[in-house]
Amino acid sequence: MDSLTAPLVVVDYHKGNLSSVVRGLARAGASAVISDDPAVIRSAAGIVLPGVGSFYDAMSYLAASGEADAIRDAVTGPCAVPFLGICLGQQLLFERGDEGVPAEAPTQAPADNRGGGLAPGAVFEAEGVRWVRGLALLPGSCTRLPAGRLKVPHVGWDQIHLTPAGAASPLLADVAEGANVYFTHSYALEDDAEPALVAARTFYARAIPAVIARGNLFGCQFHPEKSSAHGQQILKNFVAICARARSASAHGDGAALDVARRAAPASQEVSA
């Protein structure tokens, strides 16, 4: 595949049905494939990592299969492939999570309490908690929502509130402040994430980073493929970001690639 004909890749780590994400991307104008092949992931025009299962199970499979390294190579390499994480897929962008880590899993010694120096999928202990190392492309931790007056898991439609960064983000172009989107999760990014990463928040049990964005990396804690018109607009915006980035990469235009990350027009589509 060359940079002009490569499809978007929906990463398959053998958990759940990914067809709804592919259908949403197709409605947004993209050619998308489901793959667990690291070579296919590395050649993608854009990467979507859906969220099914626990942080530990997902990272264990991604690390063992070579998919974690392929994602990291693609999004940090010269082409800086755009990435969209959905639900757990957003969480996996970050340094560490404590969901589903078995008591018998052997631990490794990290360079710091964030898991520094460890490979994705490694288990370590810090602050009295057993953690698993995420893709570690962004700083932050993922933990369970606090139980209390509100039921956990958080399931159903809820509003997202845009931050100033979100109002300027190409991922949220033409998405209204207070838009209702569909959530289903028990874990979320903690408040140790950099505030500048947060493009939108929702409030359920605590403030939840509902959308994150930095450079070519994007994530939604909710499911855009299940979020009606607002979610479809987000997928359309991501497809446009991929198209602009792919065009800039094909022409060797680093300045255009940077602009593509920040200001891809929602009307541009990736052709099949």
Side-chain angles (χ1 to χ4, degrees):
M1 300 176 190
D2 63 37
S3 62
L4 293 176
T5 60
L8 306 192
V9 172
V10 178
V11 177
D12 184 7
Y13 49 98
H14 297 195
K15 294 282 187 180
N17 183 356
L18 308 182
S19 59
S20 62
V21 176
V22 172
R23 288 195 298 269
L25 292 168
R27 288 192 298 270
S31 172
V33 299
I34 297 170
S35 183
D36 61 1
D37 183 340
V40 173
I41 294 169
R42 284 188 174 92
S43 67
I47 295 172
V48 179
L49 182 62
V52 180
S54 75
F55 198 111
Y56 173 82
D57 287 343
M59 282 310 310
S60 294
Y61 188 89
L62 290 171
S65 66
E67 292 171 274
D69 286 341
I71 292 169
R72 287 166 56 89
D73 290 347
V75 303
T76 62
C79 293
V81 172
F83 174 101
L84 176 64
I86 295 174
C87 196
L88 175 61
Q90 169 174 291
Q91 298 170 28
L92 297 177
L93 272 172
F94 290 85
E95 295 168 304
R96 62 182 190 173
D98 64 354
E99 180 184 12
V101 183
E104 66 275 13
T107 60
Q108 299 184 38
D112 55 45
N113 65 2
R114 321 298 297 183
L118 298 182
V123 175
F124 63 99
E125 294 188 6
E127 302 158 343
V129 177
R130 291 172 64 83
W131 302 94
V132 60
R133 182 74 161 167
L135 292 171
L137 293 163
L138 295 172
S141 309
C142 298
T143 61
R144 186 174 173 84
L145 296 175
R149 182 177 60 85
L150 297 175
K151 181 181 178 181
V152 176
H154 174 207
V155 178
W157 295 83
D158 220 329
Q159 290 184 316
I160 55 172
H161 300 284
L162 277 57
T163 66
S169 172
L171 188 69
L172 296 177
D174 299 321
V175 176
E177 160 59 24
N180 278 293
V181 293
Y182 187 78
F183 292 84
T184 174
H185 64 115
S186 298
Y187 287 73
L189 182 61
E190 268 282 4
D191 60 6
D192 62 347
E194 295 175 10
L197 290 171
V198 181
R201 293 185 176 88
T202 195
F203 298 90
Y204 187 92
R206 61 174 171 84
I208 298 169
V211 182
I212 61 94
R214 170 168 288 173
N216 59 319
L217 303 178
F218 303 93
C220 298
Q221 181 57 66
F222 54 90
H223 288 265
E225 77 281 8
K226 299 179 180 179
S227 296
S228 192
H230 295 303
Q232 192 59 42
Q233 182 64 50
I234 289 170
L235 293 179
K236 184 178 180 181
N237 290 342
F238 181 69
V239 169
I241 290 166
C242 294
R244 181 67 67 86
R246 188 171 64 180
S247 176
S249 177
H251 291 89
D253 187 347
L257 180 57
D258 183 61
V259 171
R261 295 171 187 164
R262 293 183 284 109
S267 60
Q268 187 171 354
E269 295 182 346
V270 174
S271 60

